[in-house]
Amino acid sequence: MSDAAQNVIQTISLPYGTDKRFAILRRCRRIWTIASIHGDVERLNALHETLTNRYEAGDRFVYLGNYYGYGPAILETVDELLRFRRIVLAQPPYTHLDDIVYLRGRQEEMWRKMLQLQFSGDCQEILDWMLERGADATLAAYGGRASDARSAIMEGLLAVSRWTGQLRQAIRGHSGHNEFMTGFRRAAYTDDGALLFVSGGLDPSKDLNEQEDGFWWNSQGFTEAAESGYRGFTRLVRGYDAAREGIVEHEVTLSIDGGAGFGGPLNAVCLDAAGAIVDQISA
């Protein structure tokens, strides 16, 4: 291992080794990364079917967020993600929880805020902002209605708290969904400091633990990192791109959003330990 790589490990692993906001991918030979799904369960089923015959023992998997929102089959999407995870983890040599990682995307971040709406400064404004950006599909999937939320807001914070409590109860009514939701990571990186995986963006001027909402909303920062790099990582990978331009590779960055949930394909890319593409699937 080079001195530069060792320095990155010293910088990254020590502060975050016990920080559950981040996943550390250990001793990786190959890593499959899966782009934003947005409730498109048919494409996810097709991708998993192909992936079952393509992944090799010991491959790692990083789903890059946005499982919820927009698409017509959000509950079924979560069920399929859980099904595939069970199949993979039932086979050796998978033993570590971070062999399969789910990052939190924009949709999951909005859903988290939806479930805490009573703590928002302006409940009505924030609710409308989230609904306009795809959260209405997730709300409907779990049996919620925007009209009920607006009525609760008119009654006061106690009523809003009861409404979000009903949503949480609905989530718990679907086996594994609450655990899935609470297990999201903000970002993932390899233990040699080579590869960093984010959902939608980052702020190149800030360290990982200072990003706050940058992982979901700072897409421009990810574009800037294509030229300047970030904290010594040799490759930055994201799964959401508002332009949905598909697999776009630069020297440092790799964006793979094909537009699943919006009529486009669902992409998965397999990277070697250095970040080079060694296989890919579009479903």
Side-chain angles (χ1 to χ4, degrees), residues 44-241:
L44 180 61
N45 287 337
L47 185 140
H48 278 167
E49 182 176 358
T50 302
L51 187 54
T52 298
N53 299 316
R54 296 271 276 276
Y55 79 84
E56 300 177 3
D59 285 0
R60 307 297 194 257
F61 303 84
V62 182
Y63 292 83
L64 297 170
N66 293 307
Y67 324 105
Y68 304 150
Y70 291 110
I74 291 166
L75 301 183
E76 294 84 352
T77 294
V78 177
D79 288 340
E80 172 59 20
L81 290 167
L82 295 173
R83 183 197 69 83
F84 187 75
R85 183 177 187 271
R86 288 193 297 270
I87 290 175
V88 172
L89 292 181
Q91 305 175 51
Y94 296 102
T95 58
H96 199 280
L97 291 177
D98 285 341
D99 289 345
I100 303 178
V101 176
Y102 303 100
L103 299 189
R104 185 191 305 167
R106 289 186 177 191
Q107 293 299 321
E108 291 72 49
E109 176 65 5
M110 286 192 290
W111 186 235
R112 184 180 72 88
K113 291 183 181 300
M114 182 83 74
L115 295 172
Q116 299 174 347
L117 188 61
Q118 65 270 25
F119 302 116
S120 303
D122 187 331
C123 295
Q124 186 63 65
E125 180 180 355
I126 292 175
L127 174 67
D128 291 341
W129 184 87
M130 293 188 292
L131 294 176
E132 291 170 358
R133 288 162 176 79
D136 56 335
T138 311
L139 179 61
Y142 285 103
R145 297 190 304 177
S147 59
D148 292 340
R150 293 191 176 97
S151 296
I153 291 170
M154 294 294 292
E155 292 182 36
L157 294 182
L158 183 59
V160 176
S161 182
R162 287 196 298 267
W163 180 77
T164 58
Q166 291 169 357
L167 287 181
R168 291 180 181 277
Q169 186 63 34
I171 294 169
R172 289 191 288 269
H174 296 273
S175 179
H177 285 222
N178 188 63
E179 293 77 9
F180 174 73
M181 182 183 69
T182 57
F184 298 144
R185 305 300 186 94
R186 293 190 171 201
Y189 55 85
T190 54
D191 59 358
D192 63 356
L195 311 182
L196 173 65
F197 302 88
V198 300
S199 180
L202 54 77
D203 183 341
S205 70
K206 296 181 178 180
D207 204 352
L208 287 179
N209 63 341
E210 299 172 338
Q211 290 294 323
E212 298 180 350
D213 287 346
F215 289 128
W216 308 295
W217 303 106
N218 198 337
S219 57
Q220 180 59 38
F222 186 88
T223 302
E224 293 170 1
E227 300 178 357
S228 61
Y230 178 71
R231 298 297 194 269
F233 288 102
T234 58
R235 169 128 292 184
L236 312 178
V237 185
R238 72 172 176 182
Y240 175 78
D241 172 16

Side-chain angles (χ1 to χ4, degrees), residues 266-281:
L266 175 59
N267 294 327
V269 172
C270 185
L271 305 176
D272 67 13
I277 297 175
V278 295
D279 200 357
Q280 62 188 65
I281 300 170

